[in-house]
Amino acid sequence: MDLVGRAMANKKKKLRKRRKAGASRRTASEPSQLTAGQWFEKLAAVQARLRAPDGCPWDREQTHASLRTYLIEEAYEVLEALESGDDGKFAEEMGDLLLQIVFHSQIAKEEGRFSISDVIREVHYKMVRRHPHVFGERRAKDSAEVLKNWEQIKKEERAAAGKKKADGSNQEEKAGSLLDGVSRALPAALEGFQLTRRAARIGFDWDNVEGVFDKMSEEAGELRQALSAKDAKLMEEEMGDLLFASVNLARFLHIDPEIALKKANAKFFSRFRRMEELASEAGKKLADVPRAQMEEFWETAKRSEKSASRKPAEAGRG
């Protein structure tokens, strides 16, 4: 971790300590009950104060670019907290993510571009506009139709925005695509998930899951052919096609591939750490253990994992 990263981590720890301390000593002057809007105004005021000339040196130095890493980190920490089942941690991490939105908005306000009020207003209007079955006359019989309408409305919005160029003219620009709203900055698995999900909403999809499995088998066969041909460029292409097909399978099964892979990564990390412990208990380093014994350690780690997961369920039944 670089100096900026360590500084941010230390700052977050101090903030969390202050939050806990503050929660236990509410002053009599502070209202016991504030609305969400009032708390939001207080948060925005705090960030503005931190960015003021006599505010916090670290906060004043930050830019949109320097905060990019923290925006991503906070989003993943929210997911981790959600998985933990700890509501206190979940609420705290969502607050940290919200702070990033306020932080970026404050920087933009200082540069005369937009404010947090603009951000809230735009998303408010967008939610009303994209739910005509709730706020308008249109009707939707199920969630599938809601999503289909949502994508159509987004496409119409992009088409309308595309008619106006930066110079204010109304010259027609190139027609937009249903996929235009998928950010190229997304992690590859999430980008593939979003692309295929949008295509599926207008009917470009398999009839059943067997079609996706067949596609994966087809891509695996093409990868084997590329491997036999020792064509590195083709191997990369076919590997990408196979990964894309597996993302499509996840989407078809209503599984987020990014979250599923994160869980698989965590499982591998846990099992590998257990393998290292088993090797240490045997007086060895894992790197010095024969491959066959590594496999034994792996199976032992898997059994331990399954045994540990059964105990809470058994306790719940008791």
Side-chain angles (χ1 to χ4, degrees):
M1 185 183 291
D2 59 19
L3 291 175
V4 174
R6 283 197 295 269
M8 185 63 171
N10 291 334
K11 184 175 182 181
K12 284 185 68 177
K13 288 179 182 177
K14 291 177 182 177
L15 281 171
R16 285 169 179 163
K17 287 180 180 178
R18 287 204 293 270
R19 285 175 191 157
K20 290 178 181 177
S24 62
R25 58 171 193 273
R26 299 291 184 195
T27 63
S29 61
E30 183 179 56
S32 59
Q33 293 292 330
L34 293 178
T35 66
Q38 289 170 322
W39 275 119
F40 194 89
E41 288 181 0
K42 287 169 72 71
L43 175 61
V46 165
Q47 192 56 52
R49 176 69 179 82
L50 292 172
R51 290 277 300 178
D54 59 342
C56 172
W58 186 89
D59 285 81
R60 285 178 50 76
E61 290 172 1
Q62 301 314 304
T63 64
H64 290 305
S66 70
L67 291 172
R68 285 179 301 180
T69 299
Y70 306 120
L71 183 60
I72 295 169
E73 285 180 357
E74 297 298 356
Y76 276 110
E77 287 178 11
V78 168
L79 291 176
E80 186 177 356
L82 185 157
E83 294 290 338
S84 75
D86 184 332
D87 285 346
K89 185 178 180 183
F90 189 21
E92 179 183 347
E93 294 299 346
M94 284 199 293
D96 290 342
L97 181 59
L98 177 61
L99 177 61
Q100 290 297 311
I101 306 303
V102 173
F103 206 151
H104 281 279
S105 299
Q106 178 60 32
I107 294 173
K109 181 180 179 180
E110 293 165 8
E111 297 172 353
R113 292 158 48 220
F114 61 83
S115 69
I116 189 65
S117 295
D118 297 318
V119 173
I120 297 171
R121 185 189 66 247
E122 287 303 313
V123 73
H124 167 79
Y125 286 151
K126 180 188 294 183
M127 293 303 290
V128 172
R129 189 170 59 246
R130 293 186 184 176
H131 289 84
H133 54 287
V134 176
F135 303 105
E137 300 300 320
R138 189 180 298 184
R139 293 290 175 262
K141 62 182 180 181
D142 52 31
S143 60
E145 190 170 339
V146 169
L147 294 175
K148 186 175 181 179
N149 291 340
W150 177 284
E151 293 302 334
Q152 184 58 40
I153 292 169
K154 286 181 70 174
K155 185 176 181 181
E156 291 169 1
E157 290 171 352
R158 286 193 294 270
K163 289 179 180 179
K164 256 195 174 181
K165 287 190 169 183
D167 61 5
S169 70
N170 289 320
Q171 184 176 342
E172 187 79 26
E173 291 189 348
K174 185 179 178 180
S177 166
L178 185 66
L179 306 180
D180 284 344
V182 178
S183 172
R184 300 285 89 86
L186 289 172
L190 187 53
E191 180 186 7
F193 178 76
Q194 295 286 5
L195 290 170
T196 57
R197 185 169 68 171
R198 292 193 178 207
R201 285 178 183 171
I202 61 167
F204 187 60
D205 202 2
W206 280 276
D207 293 328
N208 54 61
V209 72
E210 291 304 320
V212 195
F213 278 118
D214 289 344
K215 183 63 176 177
M216 289 185 67
S217 297
E218 175 190 324
E219 298 297 353
E222 291 177 0
L223 177 57
R224 288 179 180 276
Q225 292 175 11
L227 179 62
S228 298
K230 298 180 179 180
D231 187 329
K233 185 177 179 180
L234 186 58
M235 278 191 285
E236 180 183 65
E237 179 182 340
E238 296 300 344
M239 186 73 247
D241 289 345
L242 179 57
L243 289 171
F244 189 83
S246 65
V247 166
N248 227 337
L249 176 61
R251 190 264 315 160
F252 201 92
L253 297 175
H254 307 291
I255 295 171
D256 187 313
E258 194 72 22
I259 292 175
L261 184 55
K262 287 287 288 184
K263 287 183 176 180
N265 291 343
K267 183 165 60 178
F268 179 85
F269 178 86
S270 175
R271 290 178 181 176
F272 195 86
R273 287 287 294 131
R274 181 59 183 146
M275 289 171 65
E276 291 175 321
E277 291 170 1
L278 291 169
S280 179
E281 290 168 6
K284 301 177 182 178
K285 290 183 178 180
L286 186 59
D288 299 329
V289 172
R291 172 62 186 276
Q293 192 172 6
M294 284 186 182
E295 293 293 344
E296 291 176 9
F297 285 165
W298 178 263
E299 292 302 322
T300 300
K302 283 178 66 176
R303 287 194 296 271
S304 298
E305 187 179 81
K306 290 177 180 178
S307 176
S309 66
R310 280 198 299 267
K311 286 180 180 178
E314 292 170 355
R317 287 197 297 271

